[in-house]
Amino acid sequence: MVSSTDKIFNWARKSSIWPVTFGLACCAIEMMATFASRFDVERFGMVPWASPRHADLMIVSGTVTIKMAPMLKRIYEQMPDPKWCISMGSCANSGGPFRHGYHVVKGVDRVVPVDVYVPGCPPTPESLMFGILKLQEKVAEFQKTGKRSAPGLLTPDPA
């Protein structure tokens, strides 16, 4: 067996993602349902973890207000590198129906870098699981270049 150490580390990273969840609104209910026994994301090697110092994935679900943004950024910065972020729901992606409010952040990518956007209002647990699988594909191709790959919307493969 011949493989580079990066491939082995990336396989280990993608097979053992520990998310810190940041539920802010109704999308958080769908996120909790995803981690419940019916959908069971632990089969992907995920362990929900309350401490950002041990987590490598942040799932932001719901409306981010300007008042909450500094706390969200602080938690993201406490996570060790390499770290990833999933934006879940139209409120986290773009502010959703509240984007015209003075108090709403027009997308969590203005606060922290986002790797995968999960669309929907609220997205179903299946959508979040698809987003997690897309993130695992990104983690498998991770290289320490100092650059992050371009974020992408979830779109089904054309095949």
Side-chain angles (χ1 to χ4, degrees), residues 120-148:
C121 183
T124 60
E126 292 88 354
S127 299
L128 179 58
M129 288 172 46
F130 185 70
I132 290 167
L133 291 175
K134 286 294 180 187
L135 181 72
Q136 283 184 329
E137 291 175 9
K138 282 187 142 189
V139 172
E141 298 171 5
F142 174 73
Q143 294 179 347
K144 287 188 174 181
T145 60
K147 293 182 182 178
R148 298 181 67 90

Side-chain angles (χ1 to χ4, degrees), residues 11-12 22 24 26 31 35 44 52 56-57 59 96 100 109-110 115 120-121 126 134-135 137-138 151 154:
W11 173 82
F22 207 88
L24 296 167
C26 49
M31 183 174 58
F35 285 93
F44 299 137
D56 53 1
L57 167 65
I59 301 174
H100 298 297
D109 55 353
R110 295 179 184 214
D115 296 295
C121 183
E126 292 88 354
K134 286 294 180 187
L135 181 72
E137 291 175 9
K138 282 187 142 189
L154 289 179

Side-chain angles (χ1 to χ4, degrees), residues 27 62 88-97 118-123:
C27 291
M88 178 182 177
S90 60
C91 290
N93 292 343
S94 66
V118 178
C121 183

Side-chain angles (χ1 to χ4, degrees), residues 15-17 34-37 39-48:
S15 302
S16 62
I17 294 176
T34 307
F35 285 93
S37 59
F39 296 100
D40 191 23
V41 295
E42 291 179 3
R43 61 190 155 135
F44 299 137
M46 298 182 70
V47 178

Side-chain angles (χ1 to χ4, degrees), residues 28-82:
I29 302 297
E30 298 295 329
M31 183 174 58
M32 287 187 274
T34 307
F35 285 93
S37 59
R38 181 174 179 192
F39 296 100
D40 191 23
V41 295
E42 291 179 3
R43 61 190 155 135
F44 299 137
M46 298 182 70
V47 178
W49 205 252
S51 170
R53 292 185 177 92
H54 299 107
D56 53 1
L57 167 65
M58 174 181 268
I59 301 174
V60 180
S61 61
T63 309
V64 180
T65 61
I66 291 174
K67 190 174 184 180
M68 184 58 77
M71 277 65 86
L72 186 140
K73 187 169 180 73
R74 182 179 307 154
I75 290 173
Y76 183 80
E77 288 174 350
Q78 289 177 353
M79 294 167 53
D81 283 323

